[in-house]
Amino acid sequence: PLPIQVVFYLQIVWGLVTFIITIICLQFFLWIAFNSEKLLTGQVVTDALTGLHNRYYITRQLKEIESTGKMNQYWAALIDIDNFKSINYTYGHNYGDYVLKTLADILRSECIDMKFCRWGGEEFLIIGKIGDDIMEQQRKLDILRLTVENYDFNYKGQHVELTITIGMTPFGNEGTALDWINLADKKLYLGKQTGKNKVVL
């Protein structure tokens, strides 16, 4: 049998060891919970195919813009890929997915000072600040349009010429941001009906 004093100190040591192990386990579980929550949050606001923000995320951003009372400092543009359904039909859905992901990469490189998302299907939404000149913002979108038009879309040796049509509108302080996006959608439709591959302001 061990002396009582030794047993006492051993109990203290084991108690400390147990406490430290418990703390480490709790920290590990908290780390798992935090990262799981972060991952789930990212999945909620991110489009799985393109990696861009999704409609849910941008709608929250629009509500924040509305709450500032300065909606007239912003503009919106809806982008639609011309003849996208025929691309899917001719080359297959894998090619269509490649086109969507590539356009997302182009948006990342060309729209650095703007917010953008995959709005749905082959449509993308851009939100920007007007600054001093709305026409300058339109020129930026036209550069984006030309970048897409001149891009070599090549998937497994299959090349396709691609264009986009853009409907753009500045916000006003009357109505909601979604009301103004609906107006951008009407301008997009007008661009589709009048030849495509253009920016309609």
Side-chain angles (χ1 to χ4, degrees), residues 22 28 30 43 53 59 81 97-98 111 127 157 159 166 168 171 178 183 187:
T22 302
F28 178 69
L30 284 172
Q43 290 174 341
H53 290 306
T59 300
I81 301 173
D97 289 349
Y98 157 75
C111 304
I127 305 293
H159 298 262
I166 305 175
M168 178 187 187
F171 285 169
L178 289 178
L183 179 58
K187 293 183 178 182

Side-chain angles (χ1 to χ4, degrees), residues 15 58 80 160 167 196:
I58 209 74
D80 188 83
V160 67
K196 304 178 181 179

